[in-house]
Amino acid sequence: MQNIRNIAIIAHVDHGKTTLVDKILHSTNVFRENQDTGDLIMDNNDQERERGITIFSKNVSVEYKGVKINVIDTPGHADFGGEVERVLKMADGVILLVDAFEGPMPQTRFVLHKALQLGLKPLVVINKVDKPNCRPDEVHDAVFELFFNLDATEEQLEFPTFYGSSKQGWFNTENVPTEDISPLLDGILEHVPAPEVSEGSLQIQITSLDYSSFLGRIAVGKVARGTIKEGQWVALVKPDRSITKQKVKELFTFEGLGKKKTNEVNAGDICAVVGMDKFQIGDTIADAENPEALANIKIDEPTMNMSFGINNSPFFGKDGKFVTSRHLVERLEAELEKNLALRVEPTDDSNTYLVYGRGIMHLSVLIETMRREGYELTVGQPQVIIKEIDGEKCEPYETLVIDVPQDYASKAIDLVTQRKGDLLIMEAKGESQHLEFDIPSRGLIGLRSQMLTATAGEAVMAHRFSEYKPLKGKIPGRLAGVLISKDQGVSTPYSIDKLQDRGKFFIDPGEEVYTGMIIGEHSRDNDLVVNVVEAKKLNNIRAAGKDDSNAIAPKINMSLEECMEYIQGDECIEVTPNFIRLRKIFLKEEDRKRQQKVLEAK
């Protein structure tokens, strides 16, 4: 048992977790000397590489001085907190990684709180000390204060601190460059305890799922006590305490970036179990004769929902493979098995479902994944979840942190206060201003794009859920109206050129449009129906002037998240494998007017 260490790496997004895991893999000779591995080895999902963030937690195992170290790389974004909460159950210690300039950020606090509650032994790593304007000593004091505020025990407060740079590949306790990261690896062996094992029969809690086209579904978890063997009969205990007897066909432990087949796994190690069925995250694999369940995994509640429905636009079925409501519900049910922070509820319309998640990024990653798999769907405006507490309507509030150059601080404060945010902290941090707000989650929808525009792209924003508080008044939404297509067809340069003074376009000439599709942003606050498919009338007289099509401004490109933040209650997004289109829910203008009268009558 002394030869295993299970450690999770936690940090705020972009503080260097995945780069640190890369260095651990290289320094423990997982790869051949001449092997080209590239950067960010653990971020092997397409979306993770494109977005530059970790979305899914992953296990990797290395050997150092005869000790097996199971390293768990966790997401840093608050929307993927559900991933972090369950994988921390496999760890006996945590490396808290903090940027030497930014210091502890909202997600640092959120994840650290979870780790301290589980009684894990922390090591603090202050990363990026090679950056200009870094302040490692101030950051160390801020981390200690954070530990104290989170009610850390005396033992947890005596955390060892390492300074260094993941990028340059060195860490030690003195903030002086060294050859490699071996001081940090020695610190893991010294300070992280070996797994505690209690006497008794077999217990493994399934904390993540894997899939192989050859082996099928695979259950992953830490052996809490006992020993599991290949070919053994075990009991699968559900959260409702129902029990089924099943047989273990194959067993694997983690080795390097892959898995290694084994005959048995002892308590304290992390293993992958093959051959069982109908298991879910949170279930317990227990002894067949004396099954004892472990405590259920508690995951924080979702704070936002969106409607997911089939694509019912005129372009339905042109682009995707999976287009029916049966395809949609099967895919959502499959996602529920591994995405614990997600919830799905049916609505009155059999073709539409309400999907609950942690935030816009949490939901957008799911939509983007489905889009790449060949699904066509329509998603509505994100809505926060309103709860009734002690007879009063309450909404979720978040702690918002903004670091912005001092010249733009007043603009940032103005934008947030317009959205019912209250300024809590304002202090200088190097050459920038550090602002902290308490803001309703509703106020965050659409704030990022406005903030980046107002601060010339200089603002760094982060937020995390804090608590439910009484509902605040109306929050101003989008200031401008939209341009809506009048007819179906192909947009022409002639029409778009003549309409440029009406607003900015989301389409280029030559793109297919349909009635009710949103094709641009109006320069005023009302919606305007325009004809962009009208062609230039031709006659047999040559025009004196040249065609003006080369004067057309380029279209505005919006990402899926930006579209989700942009739309209003009467609008939705059509998502297909190759296109993201904005549209009105009611495509015909007379239907929209009729609906408006119904709403006004209410």
Side-chain angles (χ1 to χ4, degrees):
M1 277 315 307
Q2 295 304 311
N3 293 335
I4 294 177
R5 299 290 185 275
N6 299 316
I7 191 152
I9 301 183
I10 58 175
H12 186 78
V13 66
D14 232 16
H15 280 198
K17 292 180 306 304
T18 307
T19 309
L20 175 59
V21 176
D22 286 3
K23 296 301 176 195
I24 291 173
L25 289 168
H26 283 293
S27 62
T28 51
N29 302 319
V30 169
F31 306 109
R32 298 188 313 273
E33 281 187 24
N34 64 345
Q35 191 169 344
D36 181 20
T37 56
D39 294 329
L40 307 177
I41 301 155
M42 296 293 280
D43 284 351
N44 49 18
N45 176 284
D46 287 344
Q47 281 199 66
E48 291 181 317
R49 286 191 171 273
E50 286 166 25
R51 294 169 184 260
I53 60 171
T54 303
I55 297 172
F56 308 105
S57 63
K58 301 169 201 74
N59 298 10
V60 63
S61 175
V62 299
E63 192 160 308
Y64 180 71
K65 292 186 177 177
V67 178
K68 180 180 182 180
I69 304 174
N70 288 314
V71 182
I72 305 158
D73 184 19
T74 63
H77 201 284
D79 283 17
F80 309 110
E83 284 276 318
V84 182
E85 287 171 61
R86 57 187 171 81
V87 296
L88 285 178
K89 289 254 186 179
M90 294 195 282
D92 299 296
V94 291
I95 290 178
L96 176 69
L97 201 68
V98 185
D99 187 296
F101 172 70
E102 291 184 353
M105 295 290 276
Q107 180 64 1
T108 319
R109 183 187 183 96
F110 168 79
V111 188
L112 178 62
H113 190 213
K114 300 285 178 193
L116 294 177
Q117 281 179 327
L118 290 168
L120 302 181
K121 175 72 180 174
L123 280 75
V124 172
V125 173
I126 295 177
N127 191 22
K128 304 187 184 182
V129 295
D130 54 321
K131 279 174 71 174
N133 301 326
C134 68
R135 42 195 196 103
D137 294 334
E138 286 177 51
V139 167
H140 179 268
D141 294 343
V143 170
F144 184 85
E145 196 175 321
L146 177 61
F147 271 79
F148 185 77
N149 292 339
L150 294 175
D151 299 324
T153 62
E154 290 286 330
E155 192 185 355
Q156 287 171 332
L157 282 170
E158 292 174 6
F159 54 82
T161 307
F162 296 85
Y163 302 86
S165 164
S166 296
K167 202 168 183 180
Q168 294 182 354
W170 64 270
F171 281 104
N172 65 25
T173 54
E174 295 297 324
N175 195 8
V176 178
T178 53
E179 295 295 314
D180 54 23
I181 66 164
S182 55
L184 175 60
L185 294 170
D186 290 330
I188 292 173
L189 300 191
E190 182 185 345
H191 297 289
V192 176
E196 279 186 29
V197 178
S198 51
E199 292 296 317
S201 57
L202 174 68
Q203 277 186 326
I204 303 172
Q205 186 150 50
I206 299 172
T207 44
S208 62
L209 305 178
D210 205 347
Y211 183 80
S212 156
S213 53
F214 180 63
L215 299 169
R217 292 175 74 226
I218 302 169
V220 178
K222 185 172 97 171
V223 184
R225 68 182 199 199
T227 302
I228 185 167
K229 297 179 181 178
E230 191 178 52
Q232 179 181 347
W233 282 93
V234 293
L236 182 70
V237 188
K238 295 277 184 186
D240 62 3
R241 298 302 182 255
S242 61
I243 297 171
T244 55
K245 294 270 177 81
Q246 302 203 28
K247 190 177 183 180
V248 177
K249 285 184 184 167
E250 289 184 89
L251 271 179
F252 294 85
T253 54
F254 290 87
E255 187 176 83
L257 290 169
K259 298 185 184 78
K260 175 186 169 188
K261 197 169 184 304
T262 184
N263 294 325
E264 66 174 60
V265 182
N266 295 316
D269 205 353
I270 296 171
C271 70
V273 183
V274 174
M276 303 176 67
D277 61 358
K278 295 183 181 172
F279 57 81
Q280 289 181 314
I281 290 169
D283 294 355
T284 304
I285 299 172
D287 183 67
E289 303 302 322
N290 303 303
E292 291 179 46
L294 287 158
N296 294 342
I297 297 175
K298 285 184 181 168
I299 298 288
D300 285 353
E301 290 286 306
T303 57
M304 199 168 276
N305 67 30
M306 288 177 78
S307 63
F308 280 45
I310 60 167
N311 180 15
N312 56 4
S313 84
F315 293 168
F316 156 81
K318 276 189 175 184
D319 199 27
K321 277 194 299 185
F322 308 108
V323 295
T324 66
S325 58
R326 180 178 63 82
H327 288 138
L328 179 65
V329 72
E330 283 175 0
R331 179 63 183 80
L332 291 174
E333 283 172 354
E335 187 68 24
L336 284 173
E337 287 192 354
K338 60 180 186 290
N339 198 334
L340 284 197
L342 204 74
R343 282 215 324 266
V344 177
E345 287 181 4
T347 64
D348 296 339
D349 181 354
S350 61
N351 293 326
T352 306
Y353 298 86
L354 268 185
V355 179
Y356 294 77
R358 279 282 182 85
I360 281 182
M361 187 175 277
H362 184 207
L363 293 166
S364 77
V365 165
L366 170 61
I367 297 165
E368 182 66 30
T369 305
M370 291 173 68
R371 183 170 91 91
R372 293 179 186 208
E373 290 170 1
Y375 285 83
E376 281 193 18
L377 64 153
T378 304
V379 295
Q381 184 191 27
Q383 305 281 349
V384 299
I385 298 166
I386 308 294
K387 286 184 179 178
E388 196 162 301
I389 302 172
D390 299 330
E392 192 171 12
K393 282 191 174 178
C394 295
E395 65 177 327
Y397 274 67
E398 310 221 3
T399 301
L400 170 66
V401 175
I402 302 175
D403 287 319
V404 67
Q406 294 187 358
D407 296 349
Y408 296 114
S410 58
K411 287 184 180 176
I413 293 168
D414 189 40
L415 268 176
V416 179
T417 47
Q418 281 175 22
R419 291 165 167 266
K420 309 292 184 196
D422 297 323
L423 182 63
L424 304 175
I425 296 172
M426 180 177 180
E427 58 190 18
K429 187 194 268 189
E431 294 175 5
S432 63
Q433 202 75 26
H434 177 78
L435 310 170
E436 285 192 28
F437 300 89
D438 192 34
I439 183 172
S441 297
R442 282 183 301 146
L444 290 170
I445 298 173
L447 176 63
R448 185 176 296 275
S449 53
Q450 286 187 15
M451 183 67 67
L452 291 175
T453 305
T455 61
E458 294 277 354
V460 177
M461 285 175 58
H463 54 87
R464 68 174 176 88
F465 171 72
S466 56
E467 59 181 321
Y468 270 83
K469 288 189 194 173
L471 196 66
K472 272 205 175 178
K474 193 176 178 186
I475 291 174
R478 189 177 67 212
L479 301 175
V482 289
L483 300 175
I484 304 163
S485 176
K486 182 182 177 185
D487 296 311
Q488 184 166 333
V490 177
S491 60
T492 63
Y494 172 75
S495 296
I496 290 178
D497 182 47
K498 295 288 179 266
L499 290 165
Q500 282 196 101
D501 60 337
R502 295 292 191 173
K504 301 170 185 170
F505 281 88
F506 302 151
I507 59 165
D508 277 331
E511 283 191 37
E512 283 191 284
V513 298
Y514 55 79
T515 307
M517 179 173 154
I518 295 170
I519 53 173
E521 182 174 88
H522 193 194
S523 53
R524 300 187 180 180
D525 61 357
N526 62 311
D527 294 348
L528 183 69
V529 179
V530 295
N531 184 356
V532 288
V533 301
E534 184 185 8
K536 188 175 183 179
K537 298 288 185 287
L538 301 177
N539 54 30
N540 60 355
I541 301 169
R542 180 176 289 180
K546 65 180 190 300
D547 198 352
D548 290 331
S549 62
N550 60 351
I552 294 173
K555 71 173 182 180
I556 297 172
N557 276 313
M558 288 202 287
S559 68
L560 177 60
E561 270 127 69
E562 287 169 331
C563 290
M564 289 162 68
E565 293 186 338
Y566 185 80
I567 58 173
Q568 299 295 293
D570 64 336
E571 298 162 1
C572 58
I573 309 168
E574 176 191 351
V575 181
T576 73
N578 294 306
F579 298 97
I580 295 174
R581 301 183 182 99
L582 304 181
R583 50 164 282 196
K584 289 289 183 181
I585 293 173
F586 294 95
L587 297 177
K588 292 181 180 173
E589 190 174 7
E590 53 266 34
D591 292 341
R592 292 197 293 275
K593 286 179 178 174
R594 195 178 300 121
Q595 181 67 13
Q596 187 62 33
K597 284 179 182 175
V598 170
L599 292 173
E600 286 170 1
K602 286 181 181 178

